[in-house]
Amino acid sequence: MTKLAIAANGLRKSYGDQVVLDGVDLAVPEGTVFSLLGPNGAGKTTAVKILSTLVRADPGTGDIHIGGHNLATDPQAVRAAIGVTGQFSAVDGLITGEENMLLMADLHHLSRSEGRRTAAELLERFDLVEAAKKPASTYSGGMKRRLDIAMTLVGNPRIIFLDEPTTGLDPRSRHTMWQIIRELVSDGVTVFLTTQYLDEADELADRIAVLNDGRIAAHGSAAELKRLVPGGHVRLRFTDPAAYQGAARTLGDATRDDDSLALRVPNDGSQRELRSILDRLDLAGIEADELTVHTPDLDDVFFALTGSADIPSQSKEAVR
């Protein structure tokens, strides 16, 4: 059985008459990236604050276990197991990067020698050695984010909450952050990631949940979520008009484009469906000159599930 790093049942939170989380269930296996998506105000940050002991859940919430510890009865053990990097940097700009690291080491009660060793190792790992003696206020946005995560790792947490960690970063800095997250997971760390950038969730997450109106609208892998939305198809293009006409007759459910000699065949993107199309063409002795599979992307999923076009333009960049 898969061991869960995070298990929450019936997570509830309201502020006055405003229901932010309305019975949210979460299950995050160890050593994976779990991404929580949702429009602005959907409750992503509230969920992170509850799971990281910063805010209390409402009465009626079920059991919550983080790293095997009960959040309600042993919050101190939960805090020892986790690290949190919020939307806004915890970096103190008035002191140097190294001093920020040593401050975190003191907060984790590391000895002076162990604190200096840990700080030096993390500054090197995050390519901050040259800037270590400079005030953090002089760092770029990407450097501050790297320092922020390095500070989070001082306590060697096995579960890390990253709340919109790449907001406002340029594409190069976002790529660097993605690589850092991959390395953390390869070391066995569990990452709980909230983001508005749908390509980020598509690129990094093993499992994704879409939060809308206080509830989980859907969850699964990126591929599973994309299959929830209609519009997937296979495009077949031909150079021989006779082959094109034959394929159109064979694939009766295809949409024709006579000008470009192309057919669009509805398809859910699965291997079984694709094989069925190719088998039908093979039986008819027809071969396409070009075949491409098109599936809905997470933008389509997001819009279909939330009814929101609130997607930052940066999420549509070709940054793969």
Side-chain angles (χ1 to χ4, degrees):
M1 177 178 279
T2 302
K3 191 171 182 180
L4 297 180
I6 300 170
N9 299 304
L11 196 58
R12 298 182 181 278
K13 187 65 182 179
S14 297
Y15 294 99
D17 294 333
Q18 182 184 4
V19 178
V20 180
L21 299 173
D22 188 15
V24 171
D25 296 333
L26 298 170
V28 182
E30 287 185 346
T32 64
V33 177
F34 176 87
S35 183
L36 189 61
L37 299 180
N40 287 330
K44 302 185 299 295
T45 296
T46 298
V48 168
K49 286 182 176 179
I50 292 173
L51 297 175
S52 59
T53 78
L54 297 176
V55 171
R56 288 185 181 274
D58 283 352
T61 294
D63 287 340
I64 302 174
H65 286 85
I66 311 292
H69 306 291
N70 189 298
L71 183 69
T73 61
D74 200 359
Q76 195 59 39
V78 170
R79 293 184 192 108
I82 67 173
V84 183
T85 298
Q87 291 183 30
F88 304 103
S89 175
V91 172
D92 186 339
L94 298 178
I95 60 178
T96 68
E98 182 181 50
E99 288 168 341
N100 271 281
M101 295 294 294
L102 294 175
L103 177 59
M104 288 302 296
D106 287 342
L107 291 174
H108 283 281
H109 306 293
L110 301 184
S111 67
R112 184 178 180 84
S113 60
E114 186 179 5
R116 289 195 171 279
R117 178 183 58 78
T118 300
E121 289 175 354
L122 288 169
L123 287 167
E124 182 175 3
R125 178 177 179 180
F126 288 89
D127 194 24
L128 292 168
V129 174
E130 290 186 10
K133 302 292 187 182
K134 298 177 182 178
S137 60
T138 65
Y139 289 13
S140 67
M143 291 170 67
K144 285 180 181 176
R145 266 325 206 180
R146 297 205 308 273
L147 179 59
D148 212 2
I149 293 184
M151 290 164 62
T152 299
L153 294 181
V154 168
N156 194 31
R158 305 311 296 164
I159 301 167
I160 297 179
F161 293 92
L162 299 179
D163 191 14
E164 300 188 13
T166 63
T167 297
L169 297 186
D170 62 80
R172 183 182 297 276
S173 296
R174 292 181 68 216
H175 270 284
T176 300
M177 192 62 61
W178 290 0
Q179 186 58 37
I180 289 170
I181 293 171
R182 293 189 188 99
E183 291 171 358
L184 290 172
V185 174
S186 69
D187 290 340
V189 173
T190 303
V191 174
F192 187 107
L193 171 73
T194 75
T195 181
Q196 292 184 19
Y197 297 145
L198 306 184
D199 62 317
E200 187 160 89
D202 201 354
E203 184 76 22
L204 296 173
D206 299 289
R207 306 288 292 178
I208 299 169
V210 180
L211 186 63
N212 188 50
D213 290 334
R215 295 178 177 270
I216 298 296
H219 63 88
S221 67
E224 289 168 343
L225 291 179
K226 291 172 187 176
R227 286 198 288 270
L228 295 176
V229 179
H233 64 276
V234 173
R235 186 175 186 272
L236 303 166
R237 193 180 65 80
F238 301 84
T239 54
D240 180 1
Y244 167 69
Q245 295 294 343
R249 289 191 297 270
T250 300
L251 304 172
D253 53 350
T255 301
R256 300 171 57 122
D257 182 346
D258 294 338
D259 292 335
S260 59
L261 300 182
L263 299 174
R264 174 174 167 157
V265 186
N267 182 271
D268 64 4
S270 69
Q271 183 176 329
R272 177 181 55 81
E273 288 276 345
L274 181 59
R275 185 183 294 114
S276 173
I277 294 171
L278 296 178
D279 287 346
R280 289 157 69 187
L281 291 176
D282 284 343
L283 286 174
I286 299 170
E287 184 172 341
D289 294 284
E290 182 181 300
L291 180 151
T292 53
V293 179
H294 299 262
T295 59
D297 59 21
L298 282 183
D299 286 11
D300 301 315
V301 174
F302 187 95
F303 185 82
L305 293 176
T306 69
S308 172
D310 181 20
I311 304 173
S313 60
Q314 194 170 0
S315 71
K316 299 182 186 247
E317 290 182 10
V319 292
R320 299 188 185 283

